[in-house]
Amino acid sequence: DDHKHVKLLLFSMMTEPQQKVSTSQLALVKMFLHASHNSTSQVHGILVGRFSVGPKLTIEDAVPLFHSAPTKPILDSALRIIESHLCGSGDKELCVVGWYTANERLGDDERPGQAALRIIGGIASRLECSEKALPAHSEPVLALVRNSGLAELLCVESCDAQRAIGFFQRDNRKHWIDPVSEVFTSVAEEGSKDGSWKNAGEMAAVACKSDSKAVSIVDFEDHLDGSLDTIRSTDWLMNQKVVDFVSKNG
C-alpha cells in the first residue's frame, strides 16, 4: 500500500502541469524599495495579480504591509481592506495571488521565515474557499527578497535583479519551500513592452538610491503608526509615487 501511494504521488507530480509565473517591474520595484527602506528589519507584503489558464500566474502589483513581525488581527484587517479595494476596481480577475517577505539578517537568503510560511498557507486557504472561480492548478506564490542580492544590486552597476529575489511554490508536503524554476518579467500594464530582469534591476537600483521623498514607499504599518493627518494622506494601497516612477522610467 505504501509503495502504491508513493507511485501515485510521483505520477501526480509528473502529470500535474507546472504553473508559469511572471512578475511586473512595478511589483519588483515596490518589493525592493520596501526592503531597502527597512534594511534592518523583516518586511512583509501582499502580491496582487491574476490567475489564467495554463496554469499561469501574473503578478501585477505588490502592497507593502509590515516592517516588523506581522500580527494576525492587523493582517486580517489589511487583507479585508485590500480585497475590498480589489472588488471595487471593476476587474473581476484581479486578486491576492501571494505574499512577499525579506528576512531580517543580511545573508539569511535561503528560505522564507516561519511567519511568511504560515501566512502563505492562510492565503492559499482563502483562495480555496473563495467564490471566485480559478483555473485548475492555480496556486499562490511566496517571494523572498534576498538581502545579499539586494545589497549587490545597489552597489554593482547593471546587476541582474534575479539575484535579489526568489519565488517559492508549494511542495508535495504543502510547504512553500519549493523554488520556482523560472520566473519571467513583464510590465503588466496594457500596452507596455516586456521588460527584462536587467532593466528591472537597473530601475529598482535607481529607485532605491533616489531621494526618499521623491520615490517614497509606505506600508500599512506606517499608515497605522501615523497621526490622523498622516493617515489621511498615506497611500499605502497604491504608493502612487512609485507607480509614477515606474511608468516614467519603464
Side-chain angles (χ1 to χ4, degrees), residues 50-203:
R50 65 190 73 238
F51 297 102
S52 53
V53 176
K56 181 180 178 181
L57 187 164
T58 303
I59 301 166
E60 297 188 9
D61 202 358
V63 182
L65 297 185
F66 302 100
H67 52 268
S68 63
T71 60
K72 190 176 186 305
I74 298 178
L75 171 61
D76 290 343
S77 176
L79 281 170
R80 285 194 297 270
I81 294 170
I82 291 169
E83 288 171 345
S84 175
H85 174 74
L86 294 177
C87 285
S89 70
D91 189 336
K92 294 183 179 179
E93 293 183 353
L94 207 58
C95 63
V96 173
V97 298
W99 186 258
Y100 77 85
T101 187
N103 292 328
E104 186 173 357
R105 296 187 305 276
L106 183 67
D108 185 9
D109 297 334
E110 291 304 313
R111 58 181 288 171
Q114 289 301 313
L117 291 171
R118 286 194 301 271
I119 292 167
I120 190 64
I123 290 173
S125 297
R126 291 173 81 102
L127 284 171
E128 290 168 1
C129 298
S130 171
E131 296 179 357
K132 191 185 296 287
L134 299 177
H137 309 296
S138 296
E139 286 199 338
V141 294
L142 176 57
L144 172 66
V145 177
R146 305 187 190 278
N147 293 320
S148 298
L150 182 58
E152 186 177 330
L153 184 70
L154 300 181
C155 296
V156 180
E157 191 173 341
S158 300
C159 178
D160 190 340
Q162 289 185 91
R163 298 172 62 86
I165 195 164
F167 292 83
F168 297 84
Q169 59 194 352
R170 179 156 44 179
D171 65 10
N172 57 1
R173 294 187 178 182
K174 299 187 176 181
H175 299 144
W176 267 263
I177 55 175
D178 181 22
V180 177
S181 58
E182 187 173 18
V183 177
F184 300 89
T185 61
S186 64
V187 180
E189 292 80 4
E190 186 177 350
S192 297
K193 295 179 180 179
D194 285 349
S196 69
W197 280 105
K198 182 180 178 182
N199 291 340
E202 291 173 350
M203 191 189 308

Side-chain angles (χ1 to χ4, degrees), residues 183-230:
V183 177
F184 300 89
T185 61
S186 64
V187 180
E189 292 80 4
E190 186 177 350
S192 297
K193 295 179 180 179
D194 285 349
S196 69
W197 280 105
K198 182 180 178 182
N199 291 340
E202 291 173 350
M203 191 189 308
V206 171
C208 291
K209 294 175 184 178
S210 298
D211 182 350
S212 60
K213 291 183 179 180
V215 191
S216 61
I217 190 161
V218 292
D219 58 24
F220 187 55
E221 191 173 342
D222 292 321
H223 171 75
L224 296 179
D225 288 343
S227 66
L228 185 59
D229 289 339
T230 303

